C-alpha cells in the first residue's frame, strides 16, 4: 500500500456548486479529498475544481476523457489549470491518447503535482458486453494490458474494481489504485454490483477509496466519514 494518509475520496455527485461546497466544507477535516464527476463538470463547470481545492484537499476530476490525442491534451490542460490533482482518461483511447492526457495535465498544473488515472475497464462491462463491442479479451486480461499501457506512458494510477486489484499489483505494482463501489457494512449497495467494504478494499491493496452516497446521503455526512475511517483502523497508518 502506497497510501499513508486518509484514503477517502468523496464523490460529490450533486447537481449544484452550492451543494458541493456545503458538503465539502463539512467533510474536509474527515476525508482525503473530493471527486467531481461529469455532473458537476458539465453543470457548474470546471471552476468548481478550484473552489473545492481551496479547502486544502486534493480534487479528483473524473472527466473520463476519451477522444483524439490532441483534443484530450487540451482538455487535460484545462483541468490542470483548474486545479485538479487527478484526472481520469479511458485507457481504451490508446497509448498516444493517454500520453497526451499526461502531457496536457502536466502542462496545465505547472508547479502543482497532478496525475492521470487511467480507466482500465468500466465495471459496468462484463465479458459479454465487451464481446458485443468487438473486444474478445476477458475483463481481467484487458485490465492487465491497459494497466501496463497506463504505466508505460506515465499515468499515476488506475481506477479499478476491487476484483482487479490483484491483477494491477501483478502487472504494474507502481500504479496508485483508486477503487469505487465501496459500501460500509450494512449500507445499501444502491446500483453498484460488485461492492467491497472499506476495510476489505484496503486490505486487498487499494490506495484510495471513492465513496459517494454512503457519506453524502447520510443525514450526518461528517459522522458517516468518521465512522468509515474507524472501521479501517489498523489497516492504514499515519492518518491525518
Ligand atoms: O455513491 P457511490 O459510492 O456508489 O459513488 C461511486 C462513485 O464512483 C460515483 O461517482 C461513480 O460515478 C464512480 N464510479 C463508479 N464505478 C466506476 C467508476 C466510477 O461507481 N467503475
Amino acid at each position: 500500500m502506497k497510501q499513508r494518509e486518509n484514503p477517502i475520496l468523496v464523490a460529490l455527485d450533486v447537481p449544484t456548486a452550492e451543494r458541493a461546497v456545503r458538503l465539502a466544507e463539512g467533510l474536509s477535516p474527515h476525508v482525503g479529498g473530493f471527486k467531481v464527476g461529469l455532473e458537476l463538470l458539465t453543470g457548474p463547470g470546471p471552476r468548481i475544481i478550484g473552489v473545492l481545492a481551496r479547502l486544502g484537499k486534493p480534487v479528483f476530476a473524473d472527466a473520463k476523457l476519451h477522444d483524439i490525442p490532441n483534443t484530450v491534451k487540451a482538455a487535460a490542460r484545462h483541468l490542470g489549470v483548474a486545479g485538479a490533482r487527478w484526472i481520469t482518461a479511458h485507457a481504451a483511447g490508446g497509448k498516444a491518447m493517454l500520453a497526451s492526457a499526461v502531457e496536457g495535465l502536466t502542462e496545465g498544473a505547472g508547479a502543482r503535482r497532478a496525475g492521470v488515472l487511467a480507466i482500465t475497464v468500466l465495471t459496468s462491462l462484463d465479458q459479454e458486453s465487451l464481446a458485443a463491442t468487438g473486444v474478445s479479451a476477458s475483463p481481467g486480461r484487458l485490465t492487465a494490458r491497459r494497466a501496463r499501457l497506463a504505466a508505460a506512458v506515465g499515468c499515476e494510477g488506475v481506477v479499478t474494481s476491487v476484483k482487479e486489484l490483484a491483477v494491477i499489483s501483478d502487472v504494474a505494482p507502481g500504479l496508485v489504485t483508486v477503487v469505487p463501489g465501496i459500501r460500509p457494512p450494512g449500507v445499501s449497495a444502491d446500483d453498484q454490483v460488485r461492492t467491497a467494504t472499506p476495510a476489505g478494499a484496503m486490505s486487498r491493496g487499494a490506495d484510495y477509496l471513492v465513496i459517494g452516497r454512503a457519506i453524502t446521503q447520510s443525514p450526518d455526512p461528517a459522522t458517516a466519514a468518521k465512522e468509515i475511517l474507524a472501521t479501517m483502523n489498523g489497516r492504514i497508518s499515519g492518518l491525518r
Side-chain angles (χ1 to χ4, degrees), residues 8-233:
I8 300 176
L9 303 178
V10 181
L12 297 172
D13 294 321
V14 293
T16 66
E18 292 70 27
R19 278 177 62 186
V21 170
R22 206 177 324 128
L23 259 172
E25 282 172 346
L27 285 168
S28 187
H30 312 294
V31 301
F34 299 105
K35 180 177 96 73
V36 297
L38 289 173
E39 186 171 7
L40 284 173
L41 290 172
T42 56
R47 248 171 283 174
I48 185 69
I49 298 170
V51 173
L52 293 169
R54 281 195 280 282
L55 297 174
K57 292 287 159 89
V59 179
F60 166 17
D62 192 10
K64 295 194 168 69
L65 302 177
H66 191 170
D67 207 316
I68 59 170
N70 189 53
T71 304
V72 164
K73 183 175 175 183
R77 191 189 297 115
H78 278 305
L79 294 169
V81 170
R85 167 66 185 83
W86 295 284
I87 68 166
T88 47
H90 279 284
K95 195 171 182 177
M97 191 214 80
L98 279 183
S100 294
V102 173
E103 231 177 278
L105 179 67
T106 307
E107 270 179 33
R112 272 180 291 105
R113 190 166 171 224
V116 173
L117 303 173
I119 310 283
T120 50
V121 182
L122 286 172
T123 47
S124 51
L125 296 175
D126 57 14
Q127 180 120 33
E128 201 185 327
S129 37
L130 282 170
T133 69
V135 177
S136 56
S138 68
R141 276 178 183 270
L142 199 54
T143 298
R145 272 189 111 113
R146 291 178 176 173
R148 281 199 202 95
L149 206 66
V153 299
C155 287
E156 184 175 348
V158 286
V159 180
T160 182
S161 86
V162 72
K163 201 173 152 227
E164 256 76 55
L165 280 170
V167 173
I168 308 285
S169 75
D170 275 354
V171 301
L175 291 175
V176 163
T177 53
V178 178
V179 177
I182 301 296
R183 290 294 178 274
V187 170
S188 154
D190 301 302
D191 52 354
Q192 296 282 14
V193 181
R194 285 197 297 262
T195 63
T197 63
M202 294 303 287
S203 65
R204 289 167 78 166
D207 294 303
Y208 291 95
L209 309 178
V210 172
I211 307 182
R213 288 162 288 183
I215 291 177
T216 57
Q217 292 191 1
S218 155
D220 182 352
T223 300
K226 281 190 271 184
E227 283 173 3
I228 290 172
L229 272 181
T231 69
M232 291 188 278
N233 265 346

